[in-house]
Amino acid sequence: MNGTPQIQFLNRKTPPHITTLVILSALPALSMTLFLPSLPNMTEFFQTDYRIIQLSVAFYLVFNAIMHVIVGPISDYYGRRPVVLWGIILFIIATFGCVLATTVEIFLFFRMAQAIIVTGMVLSRAVVRDMYSAAESASVIGYVTMGMAVAPMIAPILGGFLDELFGWQASLSLLILFGVITLGITYYDLGETLPRSKSNIWLQFKEYPELFKSQRFWGYCLVAACASGVFFSFLGGAPFVGSEIFNLSPSAVGIYFGLTAVGYMTGNFISGKYSTRIGINKMILVGCAILLLGPVGPILSALAGFNHPMSFFGFAVMMGVGNGMILPNATAGMLSVRPHLAGTASGIGGAIMIGIGSGLSALAGSLLTIESGPYPLYFIMLISVLASIFIALYVVHRDRQQSQKKFG
C-alpha cells in the first residue's frame, strides 16, 4: 500500500486496521459455529427432529448465498462502509429474535436472517482488494482469514460449555455482545475505501455477464466452492456423528470441532507467507492434495476397524489446512479477474461457494442415521474433494494455454 497514509487503529481517516478486517470476517464464522454443539439439545427444546433443527445450518447458508449476490453490487455503488454497518445492526436484531424464539419455525426464520452478517466477510475481502494488488491481496487475505480462524476454533468449545452451564440460548446471547463490540470498532475504524460510483446501481447488476464470461472466474469460483463444500458438509454432519456415533457431550464435540480451525489457521498462515512467492495456482494444487486426506483418512480408518473420535476429527485437521491454503488463493484469483468489480466478484463467488455448501450441508444432515453410521458424510466429502482437484487442474491447464498464446 505504497503512498497511503499510515494506518491508525480506530481512526477511519486512515486505511482500516487489519484487526478490524479480521473481526469483520470472524463474526460470520462465529455465528456459523458457536451454537453447533447445541443442536441436539435444541432438538429436544423445540420438540422436533434433528433433521429439522439441522436446517438452521442449511437455511443460514442459503440466505448467506443470497446476501453474497446482493451485497457485492450494492457496496460497489454505495461504498463498503454503510453496507457493513447496516449489516451488523440487522444481525444484532436477528440474533435477539433467535434468543426469544418459542417455536422452531420462529427460530429458523431469525436464524436465516442472521446471515446478513455475511456483509462483513464479503466486504472485508473487497476492502483488501481495494487497497492491494492481486499478488499482495492473496497474502493479506491469508493473514486476515488466519486471524479469523481463531473464532471457529474457540467458538464450538465455548458454545458447548455455555450450553451445558446455561442452555442453548447462552451462546446466541454472547453473539449479541460480540455484534455490539464489532459495530463500535467498525464505526470508528472503517472509513470508505471505494469512491462512490456515479453509475446507476442497476448497472452494477448488469455487469454480472462481464464476470460470467470469464472462464478464469468460474474456475476459481468452483475450486473454492467444491473445497469449501467439504467443510460445509462436515458442519452439517459432524454434530450428529460426534453425539450419536461417538457418544460425545456438547463440550467434547466443541473441542473436537476446534481441531479443524487449528488446521485452517495453519493453512492460512502458509498462504499468507508463501502465496506471493509461489503463486496462487500452485498453492491451490498443494491445498487440494492435502484436503484429500480429510475424507480418505476416516474412510481408511473405518475400514481398518478404528472407532475413535480422532479417526474422524483428527483427519479434519488436514481438511482445515487444505481449505486454508485453497480459499485465500482462489478468492484472490476471483477478485483479480475484474478488479473494478471486486465487490461484485466477491459476492458472486461467495454465493456460489455458499450455495453449493448449503446443499451439501443439508444432504449430509438428511442422509445420516444411526443405521448408516458416518459413511454418507465421508463419501460426500470425498466426492467434493475430487471435484475440486479436477477443476483446479483445469484452471492450471487454461492458464498454461493462455500463456502459450501470449508468448508463443
Side-chain angles (χ1 to χ4, degrees):
M1 232 169 58
N2 296 330
T4 57
Q6 183 179 3
I7 296 175
Q8 296 179 2
F9 187 44
L10 300 181
N11 182 357
R12 63 175 178 267
K13 294 182 179 180
T14 69
H17 197 277
I18 193 169
T19 302
T20 302
L21 300 178
V22 169
I23 292 172
L24 285 172
S25 294
L27 188 55
L30 196 68
S31 175
M32 186 180 297
T33 60
L34 185 65
F35 81 111
L36 288 178
S38 299
L39 289 180
N41 288 341
M42 292 168 68
T43 302
E44 183 179 351
F45 177 87
F46 288 116
Q47 297 182 346
T48 186
D49 187 76
Y50 178 82
R51 298 182 184 186
I52 300 299
I53 204 65
Q54 193 271 343
L55 290 175
S56 61
V57 177
F59 284 177
Y60 180 90
L61 294 175
V62 169
F63 194 63
N64 196 305
I66 294 172
M67 291 309 303
H68 268 81
V69 175
I70 297 172
V71 164
I74 291 176
S75 74
D76 282 340
Y77 178 73
Y78 286 109
R80 316 303 189 202
R81 176 179 163 81
V83 178
V84 169
L85 291 176
W86 275 108
I88 299 171
I89 291 170
L90 294 175
F91 166 77
I92 294 171
I93 295 172
T95 307
F96 267 112
C98 289
V99 172
L100 300 176
T102 55
T103 67
V104 69
E105 292 83 7
I106 294 174
F107 173 79
L108 289 176
F109 172 80
F110 282 108
R111 171 60 181 164
M112 183 172 62
Q114 274 189 307
I116 188 70
I117 195 58
V118 76
T119 53
M121 184 179 292
V122 173
L123 298 186
S124 63
R125 296 193 298 252
V127 165
V128 170
R129 190 61 187 92
D130 291 341
M131 300 188 297
Y132 294 91
S133 68
E136 292 173 321
S137 64
S139 288
V140 177
I141 291 172
Y143 282 124
V144 169
T145 51
M146 181 183 70
M148 179 197 74
V150 174
M153 178 173 63
I154 298 174
I157 301 172
L158 182 59
F161 280 109
L162 286 174
D163 179 274
E164 291 184 4
L165 293 173
F166 306 108
W168 64 267
Q169 294 95 337
S171 59
L172 292 167
S173 299
L174 187 61
L175 280 178
I176 296 173
L177 175 61
F178 287 150
V180 172
I181 294 172
T182 302
L183 180 62
I185 292 174
T186 304
Y187 180 84
Y188 286 105
D189 189 66
L190 180 65
E192 187 53 66
T193 59
L194 183 71
R196 182 168 175 173
S197 173
K198 295 181 180 179
S199 65
N200 186 285
I201 189 172
W202 296 112
L203 295 179
Q204 300 295 131
F205 288 95
K206 289 181 180 179
E207 288 176 322
Y208 273 16
E210 185 178 346
L211 287 172
F212 291 161
K213 291 177 183 177
S214 170
Q215 292 184 347
R216 288 180 61 236
F217 175 76
W218 279 110
Y220 287 123
C221 277
L222 293 176
V223 166
C226 293
S228 62
V230 182
F231 174 68
F232 286 124
S233 57
F234 174 81
L235 285 184
F240 180 88
V241 172
S243 62
E244 302 299 329
I245 305 299
F246 295 118
N247 298 313
L248 299 175
S249 67
S251 58
V253 171
I255 291 172
Y256 279 113
F257 257 101
L259 295 176
T260 308
V262 172
Y264 188 61
M265 185 165 58
T266 302
N268 287 154
F269 175 78
I270 295 171
S271 293
K273 191 170 181 62
Y274 297 108
S275 289
T276 303
R277 186 187 314 171
I278 296 177
I280 63 176
N281 287 346
K282 290 182 180 178
M283 291 292 288
I284 290 172
L285 287 175
V286 174
C288 286
I290 296 173
L291 183 65
L292 186 61
L293 296 175
V296 169
I299 292 172
L300 294 179
S301 295
L303 293 176
F306 294 110
N307 187 29
H308 187 275
M310 283 300 292
S311 66
F312 173 52
F313 289 101
F315 285 103
V317 175
M318 304 311 298
M319 175 188 71
V321 173
N323 263 311
M325 295 177 65
I326 295 168
L327 297 184
N329 289 282
T331 299
M334 280 187 270
L335 303 188
S336 66
V337 172
R338 300 289 187 274
H340 65 290
L341 296 175
T344 303
S346 180
I348 296 175
I352 294 170
M353 183 173 69
I354 299 297
I356 292 176
S358 64
L360 292 176
S361 174
L363 180 63
S366 65
L367 293 180
L368 286 169
T369 63
I370 296 295
E371 292 75 20
S372 71
Y375 294 103
L377 176 59
Y378 293 169
F379 286 107
I380 290 172
M381 293 169 64
L382 177 62
I383 292 170
S384 191
V385 176
L386 293 176
S388 70
I389 293 173
F390 174 79
I391 297 167
L393 291 172
Y394 175 77
V395 170
V396 172
H397 173 69
R398 289 293 301 172
D399 277 358
R400 286 176 179 171
Q401 283 185 328
Q402 290 183 356
S403 297
Q404 290 173 356
K405 288 181 180 179
K406 184 176 180 180
F407 298 106

